[in-house]
Amino acid sequence: MKKLIAGNWKMNGSLAANEKLIKEILAGLGQAACQIAVGVPSVYLAQCQGLLAGSAVDLGSQDISAHEGGAYTGEIAGAMLKEFGVRYAIVGHSERRQYHGETDEVVATKAQRALGCGITPIVCVGETLAEREAGRTEEVVKRQLAAVIHTNGHCISEIVVAYEPVWAIGTGKTASPEQAQQVHAVLRAQLKAASAHADRIQLLYGGSMNAANAASLLAQPDIDGGLIGGAALKAQDFLTIIA
Ligand code: PGA
């Protein structure tokens, strides 16, 4: 299976900065062996669609509405994202769960909306530091993924999963390759129990992945790519991870 390296720009960027970053990434890309995507703020989708047209880099959104359309002020429907060439939608990022109260059920519905529009959801799961210290890591990630499996049934092999320990996001503290692999193996087993095609589901690791630690993480048997925040804002770092 090809690996997927996906950037999550979060609430960063500007028209000028995006153009510079994308141009630098495309200029340095060469023949990449992996799939590549960038998850950009919604207001910049049109700009980035134009900049990425015809390239090997796919476009992603950082969220998608759980609703199809209508009176949901501020929300963006999957059909709208699709119009701008969005291939991936990050759903259930811990920052959305934490700051916007997204429950496991909402995340599962968002994944369903994405699939319904032909957009691949990148479903994020992960434990907090307190949960890890209490020995609850497996229980938490399995509960989060179970909701998505329950809602999406046989379509589950069409999703991408990102394991992002909350304590590793933006902190510079990366899970060790062994710690990450251990959780990825749990998620893989859970997906296998739900789908005969679980082997083709890409399981990404996210949380302070960078140019220095990416190779050892990506060498683990069940780590099929990365969801990259901070390091995706620096063209050279992102390119090194891709390489
Ligand atoms: P980070 O973010 O790489 O800056 O830790 C990853 C993410 O939140 O997706």
Side-chain angles (χ1 to χ4, degrees):
M1 145 168 52
K2 274 201 181 180
K3 293 203 191 296
L4 169 61
I5 301 298
N8 173 11
W9 289 4
K10 310 193 180 185
M11 199 169 73
N12 294 291
S14 65
L15 288 169
N18 303 342
E19 182 170 347
K20 182 167 180 285
L21 178 56
I22 288 182
K23 284 188 170 164
E24 284 174 5
I25 291 169
L26 295 183
L29 201 53
Q31 283 289 350
C34 60
Q35 295 177 297
I36 305 159
V38 286
V40 311
S42 303
V43 287
Y44 296 126
L45 285 170
Q47 180 205 16
C48 295
Q49 180 186 29
L51 289 166
L52 294 173
S55 81
V57 179
D58 287 314
L59 189 56
S61 66
Q62 298 174 14
D63 189 25
I64 181 172
S65 178
H67 306 283
E68 261 177 286
Y72 299 100
T73 303
E75 300 245 331
I76 300 177
M80 298 174 184
L81 297 173
K82 194 70 189 166
E83 282 202 294
F84 290 89
V86 167
R87 165 140 189 220
Y88 298 99
I90 299 169
V91 302
H93 191 282
S94 61
E95 288 151 16
R96 305 258 355 141
R97 293 179 190 260
Q98 191 180 343
Y99 307 136
H100 301 274
E102 290 191 13
T103 62
D104 294 341
E105 287 66 36
V106 167
V107 173
T109 305
K110 289 185 170 192
Q112 187 178 40
R113 287 284 175 236
L115 289 169
C117 297
I119 292 171
T120 301
I122 299 178
V123 176
C124 301
V125 300
E127 82 287 2
T128 62
L129 184 60
E131 288 163 341
R132 174 162 283 265
E133 286 175 344
R136 294 182 50 220
T137 298
E138 275 194 28
E139 168 205 325
V140 169
V141 297
K142 283 169 92 170
R143 187 203 72 221
Q144 292 171 332
L145 185 57
V148 180
I149 292 172
H150 176 76
T151 302
N152 291 279
H154 65 273
C155 294
I156 201 68
S157 63
E158 306 301 320
I159 74 168
V160 170
V161 177
Y163 168 55
E164 298 206 309
V166 177
W167 49 271
I169 295 176
T171 58
K173 276 190 224 152
T174 320
S176 69
E178 295 72 27
Q179 278 176 324
Q181 167 57 28
Q182 201 174 19
V183 177
H184 279 233
V186 167
L187 297 173
R188 180 83 69 200
Q190 188 180 5
L191 290 164
K192 274 190 175 160
S195 164
H197 306 294
D199 277 333
R200 68 170 194 232
I201 301 176
Q202 288 164 316
L203 301 185
L204 316 185
Y205 169 79
S208 299
M209 189 187 268
N210 58 39
N213 62 29
S216 58
L217 286 158
L218 293 167
Q220 298 297 313
D222 288 301
I223 301 186
D224 310 313
L227 183 56
I228 295 134
L233 297 171
K234 297 183 203 125
Q236 203 44 59
D237 290 12
F238 195 54
L239 288 166
T240 301
I241 295 169
I242 290 165

